[in-house]
Amino acid sequence: MEQSGSPFSAPQPRPLPLINHVPPWPHTFHLPAASPVPAVPTWLLDSALLSPAPPPGVMDGPRSDVGRWGGNPWQPPTTPSPEPEPEPEPERRSRRGGRSFWARCCGCCSCRNRADDDWGPEPHRDRGSGSGRRRPDSRGSDSRRPGSRASGVNAAGDGTIREGMLVVTGVDLLSSRSDQNRREHHTDEFEYDELIIRRGQPFHMVLHFSRPYESSDRVALELLIEDIVYVDHEDWRQEYVLNESGRIYYGTEAQIGERTWNYGQFDHGVLDACLYILDRRGMPYGGRGDPVSVSRVISAMVNSLDDNGVLIGNWSGDYSRGTNPSAWVGSVEILLSYLRTGYSVPYGQCWVFAGVTTTVLRCLGLATRTVTNFNSAHDTDTSLTMDIYFDENMKPLEHLNHDSVWNFHVWNDCWMKRPDLPSGFDGWQVVDATPQETSSGIFCCGPCSVESIKNGLVYMKYDTPFIFAEVNSDKVYWQRQDDGSFKIVYVEEKAIGTLIVTKAVGSNMQDDVTHIYKHPEGSEAERKAVETAAAHGSKPNVYTNRDSAEDVALQVEAQDAVMGQDLTVSVVLTNRGSSTRTVKLHLYLSVTFYTGVTGPVFKESKKEVVLAPGATERVSMPVAYKEYRPQLVDQGSMLLNVSGHVKENGQVLAKQHTFRLRTPDLSLTLLGAAVVGQECEVQIVFKNPLPVTLTNVVFRLEGSGLQRPKILNVGDIGGNETVTLHQKFVPVRPGPRQLIASLDSPQLSQVHGVIQVDVAPAPGGGGFFSNAGGNSPLGETIPMASRGGA
């Protein structure tokens, strides 16, 4: 047994002939790890490590950035063809030549000459030919060219089998989900019967020879083994690599909403989709062992810009030509559609991009989590501050206000070592697939060390200035002076990155991770980080000439309101000085997308308040449903702009406060026990909170190991009406599972529900249902089981 190769060089495996015309003599080989064996390594041993080296010179081409390769990436035609229906699994397999996952990914075991590989980007081709899945290239073809060395290998190297020669007649990779390899490598959840193993621990294979194996015989296998993504916490590995579902948080810091997301990284077809994403970008096999490069490519390929990646972003509110981003319940439907058609899927917003990225990176073996940053800044001029401009009367100058603050933004943390950075920057790295700004000319972001963000080290790669501004910039208010210049009248130091959360390890609770991104707000270390970062920005002197009078404090309160109800917003003023203060206050209310893009002001209020020393005064503004209903935009958020002026000392008050209108949850109830291979039923109950009819209502249902993605078209639901649906499904894998549902209509979105389903093994101990490909079609139209009044 020989092992060779380094993390930065592609291996050159020797082909093993598969000749079955002589009786086999089995011999078991135990392939050891190159280093101490972790319990659950966190990097998938896939085609990145077991593929032939590319043809000479291919990897020597130009690279515009790490994770970016030159050449001609595969591009689909500009006019898409209608999406074909999913093929039955037997047909899909036959069209790939009936070859196994291992044979398609492993050059040595597919008996192919490495020089025969055409691993590069696929040329333009007619979509009408039916091609849309991972292309049937040389890795998935049984074709053999005359004279190829792959027709047989022996010591003489001429393809002749000589008497007494040791010839490999077959290879048993022990790849079944119930076999030792899959169980020990924690890949038995993958709904595949091919070998899928992880780096850093032993695996087994059985070689069948033409005669008994002797001690003088020599068999060599070459593997590239390098584990720089290992996580030394068992509970983290269970959560961030093996967990198939999670929570994604949204809304505002004061009104946090949560939704369950089905990552589904082990579902049938998802691994194919993940490898297809790397193939489509033309990523060299030799680069796939580098998590920096892999994560950077994935952050670019999950969005459709530049390279026709997985998801089309849409923040317009018009989703008539695709799916409302709020309606998705998981990544599986999205990735399977991309794999099946080759076309970008409409539509995604930040939590969808992040959910799909979590799926892809976990599937490939990187420990990954989905992270939400509340009050997330979008810095457009590299000033590392959020700049808001007003005229002489403190009215916003919208034509200058290009920076924005998102109510929330969702991205990913993935765990890796950073040998390309100085010591101390290993661990969690930010990767963001939402296309906001370009990085080296490409819409991608990261990986960026969280440690560099925390300390304002914005010169560290990749994209640290942009991410730092998202979590720890100051909101700076500028007022135009009589001479046309602008002066800082207020700096809000705690307005950005107010809370950063992710799902807790081993539970569905929130885990506050703000402390790993930033020092405590207002501390000396935090202020130093902000000033260090700003010194490298486009406005290095932003903190000079600030007014310091701050006798009056301002706070905004908004009640927790449900969509369809009246509500009240209030501004609380407190005089912390020793003299009376007179405040002229202006309140402007508008609707807003979660990205900070606002609609026109639909209600305003002006009031003068006299505050005695130490006094507190509340100014309230009631808002009726009939007032905000015509203004509602996607996700139903409101923005209150408050500005004020203190007569006595010239202090300027400014505050932007966002609050959301809650939507109802779906109620899911399991009707009976859940057993692998046996049909069971779930009941879904929903009450329309609005006094108007919901039209074209669509339910989605999905759950790994329970239900393949399913769409239910239910028509209209009347105002304040309650409806009940019953759906049957057949579990395919045992254990605790999450069944997730959503509702979407033009009048109401962001409606979700989830139920945990504890699935018992099949009678007789069978752990898997034979139909791993799925148990239901998409696009079913169903009647309501019952309808009731309010």
Side-chain angles (χ1 to χ4, degrees):
M1 185 65 57
E2 293 183 355
Q3 293 181 327
S4 65
S6 73
F8 308 106
S9 63
Q12 299 182 14
R14 299 177 177 87
L16 300 178
L18 299 178
I19 303 173
N20 297 304
H21 64 277
V22 292
W25 293 84
H27 192 86
T28 302
F29 276 86
H30 174 80
L31 302 187
S35 57
V37 180
V40 185
T42 56
W43 181 253
L44 186 67
L45 183 60
D46 62 3
S47 59
L49 307 177
L50 292 177
S51 297
V58 172
M59 292 186 65
D60 300 329
R63 292 172 55 169
S64 60
D65 196 5
V66 171
R68 293 285 149 205
W69 283 268
N72 299 305
W74 186 92
Q75 303 286 343
T78 55
T79 304
S81 60
E83 178 175 324
E85 292 297 318
E87 298 179 20
E89 289 301 319
E91 182 178 351
R92 290 186 65 200
R93 184 172 290 253
S94 65
R95 292 180 63 173
R96 293 187 185 180
R99 310 192 67 219
S100 69
F101 172 86
W102 181 278
R104 287 184 279 120
C105 293
C106 175
C108 60
C109 293
S110 59
C111 303
R112 302 200 49 259
N113 181 356
R114 67 184 182 90
D116 294 339
D117 246 353
D118 175 20
W119 58 270
E122 184 180 14
H124 292 266
R125 61 189 302 168
D126 183 7
R127 302 297 302 178
S129 65
S131 172
R133 67 201 86 255
R134 285 182 66 206
R135 66 184 188 275
D137 60 10
S138 56
R139 289 190 300 157
S141 170
D142 275 321
S143 62
R144 297 287 184 269
R145 292 208 294 257
S148 169
R149 287 195 301 134
S151 60
V153 176
N154 55 56
D158 59 4
T160 303
I161 300 176
R162 299 178 179 176
E163 184 177 355
M165 183 178 294
L166 182 70
V167 177
V168 177
T169 61
V171 179
D172 183 356
L173 299 174
L174 307 177
S175 59
S176 168
R177 284 175 286 183
S178 60
D179 278 337
Q180 179 181 7
N181 282 335
R182 295 287 296 277
R183 287 185 284 105
E184 291 181 352
H185 284 251
H186 297 266
T187 61
D188 50 336
E189 286 287 310
F190 278 100
E191 293 179 358
Y192 291 82
D193 285 322
E194 291 84 7
L195 182 64
I196 305 171
I197 53 178
R198 300 182 187 274
R199 298 196 300 179
Q201 71 185 74
F203 65 99
H204 306 266
M205 59 169 39
V206 177
L207 303 182
H208 295 270
F209 297 134
S210 57
R211 60 168 175 76
Y213 179 78
E214 299 174 357
S215 59
S216 59
D217 292 321
R218 177 174 175 269
V219 175
L221 295 176
E222 295 187 357
L223 302 176
L224 174 62
I225 300 178
E226 160 64 9
D227 195 2
I228 61 174
V229 294
Y230 174 60
V231 176
D232 192 21
H233 303 280
E234 170 62 20
D235 55 346
W236 284 27
R237 294 191 293 261
Q238 291 292 329
E239 180 67 49
Y240 299 135
V241 180
L242 301 180
N243 196 351
E244 295 178 79
S245 64
R247 293 286 197 273
I248 299 179
Y249 301 98
Y250 63 96
T252 68
E253 177 193 4
Q255 299 170 301
I256 298 177
E258 65 178 49
R259 58 180 299 160
T260 303
W261 190 267
N262 181 45
Y263 297 124
Q265 66 266 32
F266 302 129
D267 274 26
H268 189 78
V270 171
L271 179 56
D272 286 286
C274 296
L275 296 178
Y276 171 61
I277 291 170
L278 299 180
D279 289 349
R280 184 152 177 174
R281 182 57 214 174
M283 187 180 189
Y285 296 137
R288 299 185 187 187
D290 175 13
V292 174
S293 299
V294 169
S295 61
R296 193 155 172 82
V297 164
I298 295 303
S299 78
M301 283 298 297
V302 167
N303 70 73
S304 65
L305 298 180
D306 309 311
D307 40 29
N308 296 297
V310 178
L311 276 162
I312 300 171
N314 184 350
W315 288 266
S316 70
D318 179 8
Y319 312 116
S320 57
R321 297 188 177 185
T323 298
N324 185 333
S326 297
W328 299 115
V329 294
S331 308
V332 176
E333 181 183 347
I334 296 168
L335 288 168
L336 294 186
S337 175
Y338 186 65
L339 173 66
R340 185 174 67 249
T341 69
Y343 290 103
S344 303
V345 179
Y347 294 106
Q349 291 179 5
C350 67
W351 66 90
V352 187
F353 290 112
V356 171
T357 299
T358 297
T359 297
V360 175
L361 292 180
R362 285 188 185 181
C363 185
L364 296 177
L366 276 83
T368 307
R369 61 190 185 187
T370 308
V371 176
T372 301
N373 176 39
F374 289 99
N375 293 312
S376 185
H378 181 174
D379 179 23
T380 59
D381 61 359
T382 66
S383 66
L384 302 181
T385 57
M386 291 299 101
D387 300 299
I388 305 172
Y389 295 91
F390 297 86
D391 66 11
E392 294 83 352
N393 299 313
M394 286 302 290
K395 181 179 179 180
L397 296 171
E398 295 299 342
H399 67 285
L400 296 179
N401 292 333
H402 303 299
D403 291 347
S404 61
V405 179
W406 296 30
N407 301 348
F408 68 95
H409 181 46
V410 187
W411 60 63
N412 301 94
D413 283 346
C414 56
W415 185 274
M416 67 181 74
K417 293 181 180 179
R418 289 299 300 268
D420 59 325
L421 297 180
S423 176
F425 296 94
D426 297 338
W428 290 117
Q429 314 287 321
V430 173
V431 174
D432 190 351
T434 300
Q436 296 184 80
E437 301 289 338
T438 59
S439 172
S440 298
I442 300 293
F443 280 98
C444 64
C445 185
C448 171
S449 166
V450 172
E451 187 67 20
S452 67
I453 298 168
K454 183 174 184 176
N455 293 290
L457 305 180
V458 295
Y459 45 83
M460 293 288 184
K461 59 183 181 183
Y462 291 95
D463 310 305
T464 311
F466 182 79
I467 301 171
F468 177 88
E470 288 183 301
V471 303
N472 206 16
S473 55
D474 289 341
K475 188 181 287 187
V476 180
Y477 295 82
W478 301 77
Q479 185 179 29
R480 188 169 60 195
Q481 305 300 299
D482 293 337
D483 62 359
S485 65
F486 284 89
K487 176 183 177 182
I488 296 176
V489 294
Y490 183 64
V491 175
E492 201 173 356
E493 296 180 350
K494 301 179 182 179
I496 304 300
T498 51
L499 179 66
I500 306 173
V501 297
T502 187
K503 177 188 174 296
V505 173
S507 79
N508 290 322
M509 302 297 291
Q510 296 174 27
D511 184 10
D512 183 348
V513 295
T514 312
H515 64 282
I516 77 166
Y517 275 88
K518 55 202 300 187
H519 297 285
E521 284 283 5
S523 67
E524 182 178 348
E526 189 266 343
R527 286 292 89 195
K528 180 179 179 181
V530 172
E531 293 173 9
T532 298
H536 293 273
S538 60
K539 298 175 182 176
N541 300 317
V542 70
Y543 290 103
T544 60
N545 301 321
R546 289 175 51 182
D547 288 337
S548 58
E550 296 183 356
D551 289 348
V552 178
L554 181 152
Q555 183 179 356
V556 178
E557 297 177 353
Q559 70 183 79
D560 190 18
V562 175
M563 184 85 71
Q565 295 181 350
D566 298 344
L567 57 97
T568 300
V569 294
S570 301
V571 175
V572 180
L573 298 171
T574 302
N575 182 1
R576 298 182 299 192
S578 58
S579 303
T580 298
R581 293 291 182 252
T582 304
V583 181
K584 288 187 175 181
L585 197 64
H586 301 260
L587 280 67
Y588 303 94
L589 187 63
S590 58
V591 296
T592 179
F593 291 93
Y594 84 97
T595 57
V597 177
T598 61
V601 173
F602 68 87
K603 187 165 187 175
E604 62 182 273
S605 175
K606 298 181 180 180
K607 190 171 183 179
E608 183 171 293
V609 181
V610 178
L611 295 169
T616 296
E617 188 80 21
R618 180 184 299 270
V619 178
S620 297
M621 184 169 67
V623 185
Y625 170 66
K626 65 180 181 181
E627 291 180 291
Y628 69 75
R629 173 189 168 187
Q631 311 294 329
L632 282 178
V633 296
D634 190 35
Q635 299 192 54
S637 293
M638 302 282 183
L639 175 66
L640 180 67
N641 269 295
V642 182
S643 63
H645 179 81
V646 180
K647 274 187 178 181
E648 290 78 7
N649 62 7
Q651 178 187 351
V652 174
L653 300 173
K655 181 78 172 180
Q656 292 182 315
H657 180 81
T658 304
F659 59 96
R660 73 182 185 93
L661 302 172
R662 288 194 296 107
T663 51
D665 294 327
L666 297 176
S667 175
L668 277 65
T669 305
L670 190 65
L671 306 178
V675 180
V676 168
Q678 297 183 13
E679 188 177 81
C680 57
E681 189 173 17
V682 65
Q683 174 182 278
I684 306 173
V685 179
F686 166 73
K687 181 178 179 179
N688 179 5
L690 303 181
V692 299
T693 298
L694 305 182
T695 60
N696 302 319
V697 176
V698 174
F699 283 80
R700 273 182 159 80
L701 194 65
E702 182 177 324
S704 288
L706 297 174
Q707 171 68 60
R708 298 286 274 182
K710 189 172 188 179
I711 299 173
L712 309 173
N713 301 295
V714 300
D716 298 345
I717 299 177
N720 300 121
E721 183 180 6
T722 298
V723 297
T724 302
L725 289 73
H726 289 90
Q727 282 297 302
K728 295 180 179 179
F729 62 95
V730 179
V732 299
R733 286 185 276 146
R737 305 285 168 188
Q738 303 279 323
L739 186 63
I740 310 165
S742 74
L743 174 147
D744 180 60
S745 78
Q747 296 78 24
L748 184 67
S749 62
Q750 204 83 335
V751 179
H752 314 102
V754 62
I755 187 173
Q756 177 161 315
V757 180
D758 295 314
V759 183
F768 293 86
F769 186 54
S770 60
N771 180 18
N775 50 34
S776 68
L778 292 173
E780 180 180 349
T781 301
I782 64 168
M784 297 296 179
S786 64
R787 293 179 182 266

